[in-house]
């Protein structure tokens, strides 16, 4: 079993920055993929950034503004979000995939005011 604990959401003005964190813990597990999704009100959940063996995959809407980094020793993934826009407003979810299961964090709300 894996637990994901997210932090770092909040309210920010357009053009500002936030950094989200997601710490994974639990019994022995091997991460295949880890990353972030988001879900805006009334919309489907969408991929933001995903890290696997290949270079990190970013959604077109966030390329050049968001950066995913990993601390392998701490099993933690970060999402640095710069030049935030009102359309980035959403609940952001950490996502971790092992060989057998997919895990989700509880979500953290990011609100970008214009």
């Amino acid at each position: 079993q894996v637990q994901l604990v997210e932090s770092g959401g909040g309210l920010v003005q357009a053009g500002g920055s936030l950094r989200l964190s997601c710490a994974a813990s639990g019994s022995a597990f091997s991460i295949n993929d880890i990353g972030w999704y988001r879900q805006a009100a009334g919309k489907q959940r969408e991929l933001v950034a995903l890290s696997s063996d290949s270079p990190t995959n970013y959604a077109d809407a966030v390329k050049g503004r968001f950066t995913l980094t990993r601390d392998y020793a701490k099993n933690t993934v970060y999402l640095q979000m710069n030049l935030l826009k009102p359309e980035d407003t959403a609940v952001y979810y950490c996502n971790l995939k092992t060989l057998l299961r997919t895990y989700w964090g509880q979500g953290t709300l990011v609100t970008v005011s214009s």
Side-chain angles (χ1 to χ4, degrees):
Q1 192 75 4
V2 175
Q3 294 79 42
L4 301 175
V5 178
E6 301 156 349
S7 61
L11 173 65
V12 64
Q13 287 189 329
S17 298
L18 283 174
R19 190 177 81 152
L20 306 182
S21 301
C22 173
S25 63
S27 55
F29 60 93
S30 177
I31 298 174
N32 282 9
D33 302 314
I34 189 167
W36 295 90
Y37 287 71
R38 68 185 181 186
Q39 187 167 17
K43 295 187 177 181
Q44 289 188 331
R45 194 170 296 188
E46 62 180 5
L47 172 70
V48 176
L50 189 67
S51 173
S52 59
D53 289 339
S54 55
T56 301
N57 180 33
Y58 293 97
D60 288 343
V62 307
K63 282 180 181 177
R65 300 188 297 121
F66 291 11
T67 303
L68 182 151
T69 57
R70 293 175 65 173
D71 184 330
Y72 288 85
K74 296 181 179 179
N75 276 335
T76 299
V77 63
Y78 304 94
L79 186 67
Q80 179 66 42
M81 305 185 294
N82 298 328
L83 299 175
L84 283 161
K85 304 175 181 180
E87 51 263 44
D88 294 318
T89 294
V91 178
Y92 284 71
Y93 295 92
C94 182
N95 173 272
L96 183 153
K97 298 180 181 68
T98 67
L99 186 62
L100 298 177
R101 285 192 59 179
T102 296
Y103 297 90
W104 293 94
Q106 79 280 5
T108 185
L109 177 62
V110 172
T111 303
V112 184
S113 63
S114 56

